[in-house]
Amino acid sequence: MDREEFETYLNANSRAVALFRSRALSYQHSQNRKRAASKQWNEAVINSAVDKMVEQFVDNVYEKLRTSIKESKLHPYDSWINFIETYEVMDNLEESIAEIKFNDE
């Protein structure tokens, strides 16, 4: 499974990305409130920062899984699905997001 397929699967089968995005948005708003009024970011800049955080999150999850999954040459996609389901990766990921602490939180 490539990175794009993984992100599609993740979005279709889990609330992990939505949960992470919500946490990241709260964090970015919190950081913004700490800035001097003249230095505060507008919503577009905040959303861009959140998008970068989400991309990095998905990249990190993908890379960690990629190193753990032994892909079948004939059915690489199925290898990923079997691993994800066997080890309840989506449930564990959602639970982990609830415990994430960003710097300065």
Side-chain angles (χ1 to χ4, degrees):
M1 183 181 290
D2 66 23
R3 163 69 173 70
E4 190 175 312
E5 289 173 320
F6 174 70
E7 186 170 13
T8 300
Y9 179 86
L10 186 61
N11 285 320
N13 295 283
S14 172
R15 294 183 46 236
V17 172
L19 292 170
F20 184 87
R21 181 175 297 280
S22 175
R23 296 286 313 274
L25 186 59
S26 293
Y27 168 73
Q28 288 296 343
H29 278 294
S30 171
Q31 292 299 102
N32 204 38
R33 284 189 295 275
K34 294 176 185 176
R35 294 184 182 98
S38 63
K39 303 272 185 190
Q40 288 189 350
W41 293 354
N42 64 36
E43 281 301 310
V45 176
I46 289 172
N47 288 329
S48 177
V50 169
D51 289 344
K52 287 177 186 172
M53 290 174 74
V54 170
E55 285 300 309
Q56 185 176 8
F57 166 72
V58 174
D59 287 346
N60 289 342
V61 172
Y62 176 76
E63 287 303 317
K64 285 184 180 172
L65 285 175
R66 192 174 64 81
T67 61
S68 300
I69 296 172
K70 192 167 186 94
E71 285 188 357
S72 159
K73 290 189 191 312
L74 294 175
H75 306 287
Y77 187 88
D78 292 339
S79 301
W80 278 73
I81 302 305
N82 289 337
F83 183 91
I84 288 168
E85 290 175 356
T86 299
Y87 294 100
E88 300 176 351
V89 171
M90 296 301 148
D91 291 338
N92 293 330
L93 192 55
E94 289 176 12
E95 289 173 13
S96 295
I97 291 167
E99 299 171 6
I100 286 178
K101 296 282 187 218
F102 295 110
N103 293 340
D104 300 339
E105 264 191 327

